[in-house]
Amino acid sequence: MKVEIVRMEPEHIDEILEIEKVSFPQPWSRETFLFEMVLNQLADYVVALHNDSLVGYGGMWLVLDEAHVTNIAVHPRYRNKGIGGQILRELIRLAAMRGLKKMTLEVRPSNSPARKLYEGFGFVQKGVRKRYYQDNNEDAIIMWLDNLPEVR
């Protein structure tokens, strides 16, 4: 399914929060998203739109020469349609445009669909953060994508 990927804006917040609540055991708050969008100069967030409906979003922090993916979520009705991949592809493109060299993220070992998505983009496991997730003390797999493509 093809979607339009655009910069996340404050007017998207209500739809983002709906997806956040059904996607994560400890959803981010309205205030957190607004801070990331408006005040965090080291953050970049995008949304996926399909027929004017927000169906997914993702974001990253830009630190030195690295991009750190903070979250990617797709509304349950639109999962398994390639939208997460389109969001991730755009985050990689944006990071490369800014001259960043690599990208990292944490993912739950139990989140097989996300791990498969990241591996499909070339991310590899480089470590584990023990008891990273506060809701159930699940470890986090640390994945890296080295050598982001050069974008001119």
Side-chain angles (χ1 to χ4, degrees):
M1 170 182 281
K2 185 71 174 143
V3 294
E4 180 185 12
I5 307 290
V6 300
R7 179 172 301 283
M8 185 183 284
E9 299 290 347
E11 59 264 20
H12 297 131
I13 193 77
D14 289 334
E15 292 173 285
I16 291 165
L17 291 174
E18 286 179 32
I19 297 171
E20 184 77 4
K21 287 177 191 170
V22 297
S23 298
F24 300 107
Q26 294 184 302
W28 282 11
S29 68
R30 176 180 299 275
E31 293 75 21
T32 299
F33 276 105
L34 288 172
F35 173 82
E36 291 293 299
M37 278 185 264
V38 177
L39 297 175
N40 188 349
Q41 298 296 310
L42 300 176
D44 206 350
Y45 285 80
V46 298
V47 297
L49 302 174
H50 178 68
N51 294 335
D52 295 325
S53 292
L54 195 148
V55 297
Y57 60 90
M60 62 184 168
W61 293 331
L62 315 169
V63 183
L64 301 174
D65 67 342
E66 301 172 0
H68 184 120
V69 175
T70 55
N71 48 18
I72 293 177
V74 175
H75 192 285
R77 283 190 302 247
Y78 295 93
R79 290 182 184 159
N80 302 309
K81 298 180 185 305
I83 296 168
Q86 291 176 67
I87 293 168
L88 182 57
R89 185 175 295 108
E90 179 64 4
L91 293 176
I92 292 169
R93 187 187 74 77
L94 291 171
M97 276 183 44
R98 288 168 176 73
L100 303 180
K101 303 298 181 201
K102 47 191 167 174
M103 182 174 273
T104 187
L105 55 84
E106 292 92 8
V107 62
R108 292 175 188 262
S110 62
N111 191 346
S112 297
R115 290 175 56 199
K116 183 177 178 183
L117 170 69
Y118 303 140
E119 289 166 357
F121 275 82
F123 283 82
V124 295
Q125 180 175 336
K126 298 257 181 130
V128 173
R129 295 193 200 282
K130 292 290 185 188
R131 303 169 59 91
Y132 180 78
Y133 293 100
Q134 296 176 358
D135 63 306
N136 65 358
N137 291 320
E138 186 173 4
D139 294 345
I141 296 172
I142 305 166
M143 300 185 82
W144 282 91
L145 176 62
D146 294 323
N147 304 314
L148 293 180
E150 287 189 32
V151 177
R152 299 175 197 256

